[in-house]
Amino acid sequence: MSVNPIDLSCYGLSVEDIIHNATPARLYEFAIVDHHAVISASGALATRSGDKTGRSPKDKRIVDDPASSDDIWWGDVNMRMTERSFLINRQRALDYLNTRPRIFVFDGYAGWDPSYQIKVRVIAESAYHALFMHNMLIRPTDEQLQDFGEPDVVIFNAGSFPANPYTAQMTSTTSIDLSIENGELVILGTQYAGEMKKGVFTVMNYLMPKQDVLSMHCSANTSTDGDVSLFFGLSGTGKTTLSADPRRQLIGDDEHCWTDDGVFNIEGGCYAKTINLSKKNEPIIWDAIRFGAIVENVWLDEDSKEADYDNTDITENGRCAYPLEHIEKRTKKNLAGEPEAIIFLTCDLTGVLPPVSILSKEAAAYHFLSGYTALVGSTEMGSSAAIRSTFSTCFGAPFF
């Protein structure tokens, strides 16, 4: 049985049962049958990502190719790998996927402005990952899906299968490998779904500046009069919460681009942290966690399946992914005009900044480039549980 049949032999995949762009209801069905998830009391699909409950930045690699090498910010964030090591990991992922009784494919878009939109194909072993990207990418219409053609980026997610740590440039059994030239992302050794989302963002951060477009790690909303605000900040500093304002219309909660015409959202959904979530304090996010959404690494009562967002026994980095359609008060095209206000959400642990500051143009440029803030340890694997001060250029260095 296959939904929207698709031939993946061009990638070296020969799995007979391929589930292509299935509806959320079908993906629920597969996730439950495969024992990957349960239905929570709110109607959201509840699942866990295994040992990795956050991103693994120290296991992120980019192929060092002459065509792009001079345009990549090499260092602790973007570590070099050879094409040979990438191909070894790619083959390892394909070999594993070929052993699966079925695999899931989702074709979608990144970027709401048609002038800058890219096509993304996700190939994964689990319905959980397919539903996650169904929420986080822009969902094509039936007509668009028929004419989708060749994708610009392909994600091979074999996250439950480990990388070989003895492969050159590998440091563990986890590896997230990007080839700019091939337009491919290979994931091994981690089932944390956020790696796919941020992988797409990294690609957009490479492509957009080449078209004189500023890609931004920020949320955005607007008034009915078109008064646009941007909220920059690292994970956990309040981008999703502040952009979900009942008095304003949501554009997006995490990834945007700024062109000569204004700003547009990159994504088709939101990825909210759920720690201490309550209906009283965050009613818009609370109400978005319903059928079609994914609750990830959140404690559920065994009998009632009610989520306990205050419980951090699994992780402090509990998450929920939901489509933009779950937010009633939003911009319908997920884009808007020039920003009127730009807000930097800085978590200041040392008390060197006033609680609220209005910045001059020069001070704003300085703080944007230095990105003084704090890193929430639970967001990244291997970090201390305590938050700590850091500098993150443009409040988004891990994804540049």
Side-chain angles (χ1 to χ4, degrees):
M1 188 280 298
S2 181
V3 178
N4 298 320
I6 185 172
D7 182 7
L8 301 180
S9 60
C10 60
Y11 307 116
L13 289 168
S14 56
V15 180
E16 184 175 343
D17 196 4
I18 300 172
I19 312 302
H20 182 209
N21 278 59
T23 63
R26 295 301 311 278
L27 294 174
Y28 265 55
E29 197 173 68
F30 285 115
I32 293 167
V33 168
D34 293 340
H35 306 291
H36 291 159
V38 299
I39 300 176
S40 70
S42 71
L45 191 73
T47 188
R48 297 189 185 182
S49 62
D51 293 338
K52 299 295 176 70
T53 58
R55 291 182 295 103
S56 300
K58 298 303 181 184
D59 296 308
K60 177 182 173 183
R61 301 286 185 275
I62 297 180
V63 175
D64 187 3
D65 188 281
S68 59
S69 185
D70 291 343
D71 295 329
I72 294 175
W73 182 13
W74 301 109
D76 292 340
V77 171
N78 297 316
M79 289 174 274
R80 302 173 193 261
M81 77 181 310
T82 63
E83 183 178 17
R84 174 178 172 79
S85 292
F86 175 83
L87 292 175
I88 289 172
N89 284 347
R90 182 184 189 274
Q91 190 61 49
R92 190 172 177 89
L94 294 177
D95 287 346
Y96 175 71
L97 290 172
N98 272 325
T99 68
R100 301 297 86 196
R102 72 170 68 94
I103 56 176
F104 298 85
V105 179
F106 179 75
D107 289 336
Y109 301 98
W112 281 93
D113 188 327
S115 300
Y116 304 102
Q117 194 171 73
I118 66 170
K119 297 182 288 186
V120 181
R121 172 165 292 163
V122 180
I123 303 174
E125 65 167 308
S126 76
Y128 147 48
H129 287 141
L131 181 59
F132 178 87
M133 291 306 278
H134 173 277
N135 287 345
M136 299 313 302
L137 290 173
I138 300 167
R139 292 157 289 285
T141 64
D142 290 340
E143 292 75 16
Q144 288 175 321
L145 188 59
Q146 290 296 325
D147 298 328
F148 192 77
E150 292 302 312
D152 301 300
V153 176
V154 181
I155 299 173
F156 299 105
N157 191 333
S160 62
F161 194 66
N164 185 338
Y166 296 105
T167 303
Q169 293 96 49
M170 298 300 101
T171 54
S172 74
T173 57
T174 297
S175 193
I176 302 98
D177 308 325
L178 174 63
S179 170
I180 295 291
E181 281 64 37
N182 293 343
E184 294 182 341
L185 179 72
V186 174
I187 298 175
L188 292 164
T190 174
Q191 296 182 69
Y192 182 65
E195 298 288 8
M196 295 183 289
K197 162 189 160 67
K198 291 304 186 185
V200 174
F201 189 34
T202 299
V203 171
M204 291 293 281
N205 280 326
Y206 178 84
L207 295 176
M208 292 300 99
K210 290 179 174 291
Q211 301 180 59
D212 294 326
V213 172
L214 177 64
S215 51
M216 306 176 293
H217 185 218
C218 70
S219 62
N221 63 22
T222 182
S223 69
T224 54
D225 297 328
D227 179 5
V228 177
S229 295
L230 304 181
F231 304 85
F232 286 88
L234 293 191
S235 177
T237 54
K239 296 190 303 300
T240 301
T241 300
L242 291 174
S243 61
D245 187 330
R247 300 163 297 179
R248 296 171 65 83
Q249 295 177 332
L250 178 71
I251 302 172
D253 83 317
D254 194 51
E255 302 172 8
H256 292 81
C257 290
W258 190 343
T259 72
D260 290 339
D261 299 320
V263 299
F264 67 85
N265 189 359
I266 292 175
E267 301 183 291
C270 299
Y271 194 36
K273 294 193 75 166
T274 58
I275 185 170
N276 300 324
L277 180 68
S278 69
K279 185 175 180 63
K280 177 182 178 182
N281 293 333
E282 298 175 88
I284 293 176
I285 297 173
W286 180 277
D287 291 340
I289 304 177
R290 57 181 191 265
F291 177 81
I294 293 180
V295 174
E296 184 184 50
N297 299 318
V298 170
W299 188 267
L300 297 185
D301 181 85
E302 186 173 343
D303 296 320
S304 69
K305 302 303 179 187
E306 293 281 355
D308 182 356
Y309 298 120
D310 297 325
N311 188 317
T312 59
D313 286 352
I314 301 173
T315 178
E316 292 184 8
N317 193 36
R319 294 276 184 164
C320 181
Y322 49 88
L324 288 169
E325 290 83 353
H326 283 199
I327 303 296
E328 181 179 354
K329 202 165 184 179
R330 69 183 193 282
T331 54
K332 302 306 179 185
K333 294 184 178 180
N334 303 301
L335 46 82
E338 289 278 325
E340 297 289 333
I342 299 173
I343 299 169
F344 301 152
L345 302 172
T346 294
C347 185
D348 178 19
L349 298 183
T350 56
V352 298
L353 297 178
V356 178
S357 303
I358 299 176
L359 304 178
S360 66
K361 184 185 299 183
E362 293 76 16
Y366 171 80
H367 281 283
F368 186 60
L369 291 175
S370 62
Y372 168 66
T373 184
L375 183 69
V376 179
S378 61
T379 301
E380 297 182 354
M381 299 302 297
S383 298
S384 166
I387 56 176
R388 52 188 172 84
S389 295
T390 191
F391 290 89
S392 184
T393 300
C394 305
F395 298 94
F399 320 117
F400 291 159

